[in-house]
Amino acid sequence: MNTYLLSLYFLFIAALSQALIGAFALKSSLQRDLPRERWRLWVAVSIGTLLLALHHSYTLNLALQTGLYDFRQATLVMLAGLATSFAVWQLRRLKF
């Protein structure tokens, strides 16, 4: 497997993880007994992560259509997406 294909896979994983983070954050913002500050936090996280997912999707589309890619950036984006997914998952479990 070459670095181009790995970059495509990594960008797909990054876009998917950011989309899942956005979905979890949106679901968390829809809880009924949520204080206003926490509601704003979850809405901001959901909007930000969905915009990042859109950005990663555009990057993936560019790599597919033109063949331009950056392996280091794709790797870092994937690791950042996975780490953020873990952080949001842990934050959802906290009850404070």
Side-chain angles (χ1 to χ4, degrees):
M1 187 174 300
N2 59 14
T3 57
Y4 174 70
L5 281 177
L6 278 176
S7 294
L8 293 180
Y9 290 139
F10 289 173
L11 286 170
F12 178 75
I13 291 169
L16 183 64
S17 66
Q18 292 292 341
L20 289 175
I21 294 168
F24 284 136
L26 188 61
K27 182 180 175 192
S28 294
S29 72
L30 296 176
Q31 293 177 356
R32 296 200 186 273
D33 57 348
L34 208 59
R36 188 117 177 111
E37 296 82 25
R38 300 249 339 255
W39 178 80
R40 277 192 224 135
L41 168 79
W42 285 118
V43 169
V45 168
S46 114
I47 291 171
T49 56
L50 289 174
L51 287 173
L52 279 173
L54 183 64
H55 171 71
H56 299 324
S57 299
Y58 285 152
T59 307
L60 178 61
N61 188 26
L62 178 71
L64 284 170
Q65 287 184 353
T66 64
L68 297 174
Y69 69 99
D70 185 358
F71 182 71
R72 288 181 297 171
Q73 182 183 11
T75 304
L76 290 174
V77 163
M78 180 197 63
L79 292 174
L82 292 175
T84 309
S85 298
F86 180 71
V88 168
W89 183 259
Q90 293 299 317
L91 188 61
R92 281 187 71 225
R93 292 181 45 205
L94 289 178
K95 301 291 182 196
F96 52 92

